[in-house]
Amino acid sequence: YHIADATNMELFQHDCTDIIVDKGCLDAMVTAWDHARLLASRGRCEQSLVNGHEVSARIEVGRFLNECERILHEDGMLLIYSYEEPAARLPFFSRWRVEYKTVENGCYLYVCRALVASLLRVVLHVDDFEAGPSVRISIDLSRPAERLRA
């Protein structure tokens, strides 16, 4: 195993794994926001505190999901075991296809697959610099699981 920052997994190369299992990382990133929302719903917390925790949580979770997407193979999956219901977690996954189910103790298992560039693939090609660069752009919609590659 490796100890690493989940928001900056530079230890791992691009497209290096088929699966990532998260048991608590995403939940830990949003715990303060979850708690502030609960307190606010009971009138025991200012909305500005909730908003501040939301911004922090979205930034951290965004970095985490970007890194997961970067190191997963194009058909890889991210499995997340979470205590929070789908209404609170699904908004984080706008760039992912997510399926979920309730598991033991009222927790949830989220099965996530990245969608970024899944609808089109753009390839840039420079033909001949001496004659002047020409750029060819091809769009391939026949392979929806393919991700954009630099």
Side-chain angles (χ1 to χ4, degrees), residues 17-30:
T17 189
D18 292 315
I19 190 167
I20 297 171
V21 178
D22 168 19
K23 169 52 174 90
C25 185
L26 185 137
D27 284 344
M29 291 177 180
V30 297

Side-chain angles (χ1 to χ4, degrees), residues 103-119:
V103 291
E104 61 193 40
N105 300 323
C107 290
Y108 299 86
L109 178 64
Y110 297 88
V111 179
C112 313
R113 295 182 186 272
L115 289 177
V116 171
S118 64
L119 295 179

Side-chain angles (χ1 to χ4, degrees), residues 46-65:
E46 295 293 324
Q47 188 60 41
S48 61
L49 183 62
V50 175
N51 295 344
H53 285 304
E54 178 182 6
V55 169
S56 296
R58 289 190 182 281
I59 289 170
E60 288 301 300
V61 171
R63 289 177 181 157
F64 168 62
L65 293 176

Side-chain angles (χ1 to χ4, degrees), residues 126-139:
V126 177
D127 288 328
D128 181 9
F129 279 104
E130 290 183 25
S134 63
V135 177
R136 178 188 57 151
I137 298 175
S138 65
I139 299 174

Side-chain angles (χ1 to χ4, degrees), residues 68-88:
C68 290
E69 183 180 7
R70 182 184 67 79
I71 68 174
L72 280 171
H73 290 154
E74 68 182 47
D75 58 346
M77 76 175 77
L78 169 62
L79 299 177
I80 298 177
Y81 183 86
S82 176
Y83 64 81
E84 191 62 73
E85 62 187 33

